[in-house]
Amino acid sequence: MAEAVLKGLTWDHPRGFRPLEKGVPLFQTTRPDVSIQWDKRSLKDFGEASLEAVIRQYDLIVMDHPHVGEAAAREFLLDFSHYSQRYPDEIANDAYVGRSWESYWINGKQLALPLDAATQVAVARNDRLEALGLAVPRTFDEVLAAAERCRGTSSWVAMTGFPTDAISLVISLAAELGHPIDDDTEVFLGQSVGDEVLTRVQALAEIALPDSLDWNPIQLLDAMSERESGIVYCPYTYGYTNYAREEASPRLSFHDAPGVQGQGTARTQLGGAGIAISAFTEHPDLAVTYAAWLCSGRHQAAEYFAYGGQPANLAAWRDTDNDRAANGFFSNTLKSHERAHMRPRFDGWLPFFESAGVKVNAFLHQRLSRAELLSWLNKEFEQTLRRRRAGT
């Protein structure tokens, strides 16, 4: 029998690669005529690099949802909605956590299926917090108080200040303070809310472990797992179940992000990943069958999670065995995922997002004033919107 070959591209982390690679033989038990090959790219390229440069080289692409604007404008991804009657349980909004499904829906088309769910959440070393007599912070003020308790000791509160995460924090805090930045936003940050957002970002930078001002989530979580780092807590970072599982030593504890305005769960920026299909694939029906299988509740709640994936399907989130295996990750962060804010996705957003992250990181390092940063963000966003309206 002639063998059909599907080539896929995912991101270079065990969470992004291992469940796909290890799941191939399972899929092949029902389709032995299919060969599936997965390649990897960096986390930064996953979040910011254009899809257009690689879309003709692969049948399947694991992508971040802000890419759907670029994809819709250039029509290089397959529309899953044409297959909804064939796969009603997988091509359905209510099958997935929070706004995961909605984030890949644009201009009446479903350009990816939610494969992986994430948003910015809090992470703690409970043993270190207890040694300091601290509970897990639930408010922004409690985060600052925890950092004050750490002062003069070998303990630290940390943050993720890598450019991508720095601008993500700005967007999260703006949403929490009543100014969600989305596809309909006309002014990136008004003066009042901008001052409050950047004041809080600055406050975190001033109390955080200095090295963490340039870390991404993986670097932070690796450091928290080290004996010598002394990091007790981080209030906003993308969660990874990999660091909470039994094989992790020590097991980190993930929680809903602290509320900015009193008690409650912050409204943080949606992350995660979807699986998309190139419009140029020679095997569209087969690719859809495979993608729907990957995102199915049965597979996501069982092998996909067991192999190190972070599922988007609600069946996996509601599985008590999964929650126990992930040290309460799913139950402790569900509210954050349900409340997660969806950032802009229009064509042209990603270059602004990347440049803005560099500027916010410079602000963290005191190389840019609050006024300079706010002015740059608003002026550059205005220029981005002009180019969007002009179609350039």
Side-chain angles (χ1 to χ4, degrees):
M1 181 181 297
E3 185 179 76
V5 178
L6 294 178
K7 288 191 64 178
L9 181 66
T10 186
W11 50 293
D12 189 9
H13 185 270
R15 170 177 143 196
F17 182 74
R18 189 177 297 158
L20 299 178
E21 182 183 48
K22 295 189 72 172
V24 168
L26 292 174
F27 182 74
Q28 289 174 323
T29 60
T30 57
R31 291 299 304 265
D33 58 315
V34 179
S35 174
I36 303 172
Q37 304 168 10
W38 281 101
D39 292 338
K40 296 175 281 188
R41 60 177 175 165
S42 71
L43 178 62
K44 186 176 187 301
D45 283 347
F46 163 77
E48 296 175 2
S50 171
L51 290 181
E52 192 167 18
V54 296
I55 198 64
R56 292 180 182 270
Q57 302 171 41
Y58 293 94
D59 303 280
L60 301 142
I61 303 283
V62 176
M63 59 177 279
D64 198 3
H65 64 266
H67 288 284
V68 297
E70 173 196 6
R74 291 158 179 76
E75 299 185 341
F76 54 60
L77 292 181
L78 180 146
D79 178 8
F80 279 94
S81 63
H82 296 312
Y83 297 83
S84 58
Q85 290 187 340
R86 188 184 303 180
Y87 302 102
D89 294 332
E90 290 77 30
I91 305 179
N93 184 11
D94 59 3
Y96 304 96
V97 66
R99 301 179 73 181
S100 297
W101 168 270
E102 181 188 350
S103 67
Y104 301 103
W105 177 267
I106 188 168
N107 298 345
K109 297 180 179 180
Q110 189 67 30
L111 297 185
L113 296 184
L115 179 69
D116 173 294
T119 189
Q120 288 178 310
V121 295
V123 58
R125 278 287 300 264
N126 287 349
D127 55 336
R128 292 173 177 167
L129 284 174
E130 291 169 4
L132 291 169
L134 292 169
V136 174
R138 297 298 182 188
T139 69
F140 191 91
D141 288 343
E142 288 178 7
V143 174
L144 300 183
E148 185 62 30
R149 181 74 67 87
C150 292
R151 194 181 300 275
T153 73
S154 58
S155 300
W156 287 93
V157 167
M159 68 183 299
T160 47
F162 184 78
T164 301
D165 303 282
I167 184 59
S168 296
L169 176 58
V170 168
I171 293 170
S172 289
L173 292 177
E176 174 69 354
L177 291 167
H179 181 70
I181 298 168
D182 54 29
D183 282 326
D184 297 323
T185 297
E186 293 294 328
V187 177
F188 190 79
L189 284 174
Q191 187 67 47
S192 178
V193 69
D195 280 342
E196 184 168 2
V197 167
L198 297 184
T199 295
R200 292 179 183 275
V201 171
Q202 188 173 33
L204 286 176
E206 288 173 350
I207 56 91
L209 176 69
D211 286 350
S212 71
L213 300 186
D214 293 313
W215 284 349
N216 64 29
I218 295 170
Q219 291 171 308
L220 166 80
L221 297 170
D222 283 343
M224 286 190 76
S225 301
E226 294 173 358
R227 185 186 306 274
E228 299 81 9
S229 73
I231 302 171
V232 301
Y233 180 78
C234 175
Y236 308 101
T237 190
Y238 285 102
Y240 282 72
T241 64
N242 314 77
Y243 294 86
R245 302 184 189 222
E246 293 177 358
E247 59 267 27
S249 180
R251 298 175 75 180
L252 302 183
S253 177
F254 290 88
H255 304 269
D256 286 322
V260 172
Q261 303 185 92
Q263 293 283 348
T265 302
R267 192 179 179 195
T268 51
Q269 179 179 277
L270 181 67
I275 184 162
I277 297 174
S278 169
F280 308 104
T281 180
E282 296 180 359
H283 309 286
D285 289 349
L286 176 58
V288 170
T289 298
Y290 176 54
W293 176 81
L294 282 173
C295 298
S296 66
R298 193 213 64 76
H299 178 62
Q300 289 243 310
E303 297 92 359
Y304 187 83
F305 171 74
Y307 293 157
Q310 191 160 298
N313 196 294
L314 273 172
W317 281 73
R318 292 168 175 160
D319 188 297
T320 55
D321 290 336
N322 286 348
D323 193 48
R324 191 179 305 111
N327 201 21
F329 178 94
F330 297 107
S331 57
N332 288 344
T333 68
L334 180 58
K335 288 182 180 178
S336 288
H337 285 80
E338 288 176 335
R339 296 198 70 220
H341 164 67
M342 190 167 68
R343 77 196 101 156
R345 304 169 303 155
F346 61 80
D347 188 26
W349 159 257
L350 285 170
F352 168 81
F353 181 77
E354 183 175 9
S355 297
V358 174
K359 293 293 185 179
V360 179
N361 179 265
F363 171 69
L364 299 181
H365 287 284
Q366 300 181 17
R367 296 194 294 266
L368 202 65
S369 72
R370 189 186 314 165
E372 288 171 329
L373 175 58
L374 187 57
S375 175
W376 185 92
L377 289 170
N378 285 322
K379 287 181 180 178
E380 187 60 30
F381 188 70
E382 181 182 5
Q383 291 297 319
T384 300
L385 291 182
R386 287 180 181 175
R387 288 190 291 269
R388 176 190 182 187
R389 295 183 184 113
T392 60

